Amino acid sequence: MAIEVEAHKLFPGVYWAQLELEKKKLATLNFAPGHTVYGEKLVKIEGNEYRSWNPFRSKLAAAILNGLKKLPIKPGHKVLYLGAATGTTPSYISDIIEQKGRVFCIEFSPRVFRELIDRVCNYRQNMIPILDDARLPERYRMFIEEVDEIYCDIAQPEQAKILANNADMFLKSKGWVLLAIKARSINVAEEPTKIYEKELQTLRERSFDVDQVIQLEPYDKDHIMVLAKYTK
Ligand SMILES: C[S@@+](CC[C@H](N)C(=O)[O-])C[C@H]1O[C@@H](n2cnc3c(N)ncnc32)[C@H](O)[C@@H]1O
């Protein structure tokens, strides 16, 4: 079967893969050849193994497909990831940042954390798993270096505030953040747009320039992805 892979024109480390007659799909170069994270398709071309990236499983892929203008996460970068869960999106970030990059993965559920280690981090030396609470960044301060970007997907009240507190401690000057806001988990009674606005306002008050807000439908309902730059 013919397979074609081409580099994404704007985002280093991201690819388009096309199997004969199928639509083009997002993919990354697998940092852990032979290993999948959730049963995604692996394709080999000229000695390289690519992993397909499902936008229904990863909000970052959904944001890229829905028109993200800039992907600040690049090969060699250090990324702080808040809410790593079982490692689906963190594993793609691990692919993108490659050997010289680092992704520090904060997750506070011990059960989920075990899966993150067993299924993902054990095969990827550029991922540093940390079992802790993103609301208490001073507790994991000693494990983390200054980072180029922060990715936040914790589905918690006051997500923007938690992100900003981590940025004040770990983000480099003029660094970037990506924040996935889940409207429903913050307050079930409130309208999603009101919740989004409140979180965006918090970001602005905490020295971020909001660059882009992306709806994630049809891949993910009731979520938006926010791309913002730290102005400090
Ligand atoms: C929506 S899931 C993240 C999915 C993941 N970002 C992905 O795309 O693969 C949210 C995760 O954040 C974790 N979480 C929620 N609040 C947290 C906190 N205060 N500190 C650390 N992790 C937290 C939850 O346990 C859950 O695993």
Side-chain angles (χ1 to χ4, degrees):
M1 192 187 301
I3 306 168
E4 275 176 34
V5 173
E6 58 175 328
H8 191 289
K9 289 198 171 63
L10 299 176
F11 306 154
V14 179
Y15 297 83
W16 291 108
Q18 183 168 26
L19 292 174
E20 211 170 13
L21 301 178
E22 277 186 21
K23 255 178 82 180
K24 275 186 185 174
K25 292 196 170 124
L26 280 180
T28 53
L29 191 57
N30 195 358
F31 187 74
H35 292 279
T36 67
V37 172
Y38 55 93
E40 67 277 17
K41 213 177 243 177
L42 302 178
V43 292
K44 259 202 177 136
I45 300 184
E46 293 163 6
N48 290 323
E49 187 177 273
Y50 297 86
R51 286 202 300 143
S52 64
W53 193 357
N54 184 342
F56 290 95
R57 303 286 293 251
S58 168
K59 293 170 204 106
L60 184 53
I64 292 173
L65 291 180
N66 279 6
L68 182 71
K69 287 188 296 189
K70 177 185 172 73
L71 180 62
I73 298 167
K74 292 189 168 66
H77 278 201
K78 297 195 180 88
V79 180
L80 173 59
Y81 196 113
L82 306 175
T86 52
T88 302
T89 303
S91 70
Y92 287 100
I93 292 179
S94 154
D95 286 347
I96 292 168
I97 61 173
E98 300 173 349
Q99 187 72 42
K100 289 198 173 138
R102 288 285 172 275
V103 51
F104 301 95
C105 299
I106 311 295
E107 173 54 52
F108 76 171
S109 155
R111 185 191 58 78
V112 168
F113 188 75
R114 256 195 310 278
E115 229 178 284
L116 171 69
I117 293 185
D118 292 348
R119 294 190 14 208
V120 186
C121 298
N122 277 349
Y123 306 103
R124 295 170 172 269
Q125 303 99 318
N126 64 3
M127 292 180 75
I128 320 282
I130 298 165
L131 177 65
D132 219 322
D133 189 332
R135 289 169 295 194
L136 303 167
E138 64 284 355
R139 284 216 314 222
Y140 47 87
R141 186 174 210 153
M142 68 285 243
F143 302 119
I144 297 183
E145 305 157 46
E146 183 177 76
V147 296
D148 300 290
E149 289 91 28
I150 302 180
Y151 186 99
C152 180
D153 182 16
I154 51 176
Q156 282 271 327
E158 304 196 301
Q159 296 169 101
K161 182 178 155 202
I162 295 168
L163 169 61
N165 289 345
N166 277 271
D168 288 346
M169 212 167 274
F170 305 114
L171 187 60
K172 75 173 186 189
S173 171
K174 314 282 186 251
W176 289 83
V177 297
L178 283 154
L179 170 63
I181 304 179
K182 182 174 184 188
R184 292 276 151 80
S185 61
I186 294 186
N187 183 340
V188 269
E190 235 175 318
E191 276 285 301
T193 41
K194 274 198 191 145
I195 293 167
Y196 296 153
E197 258 325 305
K198 220 189 277 173
E199 294 297 294
L200 292 175
Q201 189 53 32
T202 302
L203 283 183
R204 292 185 187 108
E205 284 163 10
R206 297 287 302 267
S207 309
F208 288 95
D209 268 349
V210 174
D211 194 57
Q212 198 181 3
V213 175
I214 303 159
Q215 300 290 336
L216 301 184
E217 283 186 36
Y219 309 109
D220 204 314
K221 291 197 176 117
D222 301 320
H223 272 94
I224 55 168
M225 182 68 80
V226 178
L227 172 70
K229 186 173 184 178
Y230 200 37
T231 58
K232 280 191 189 169

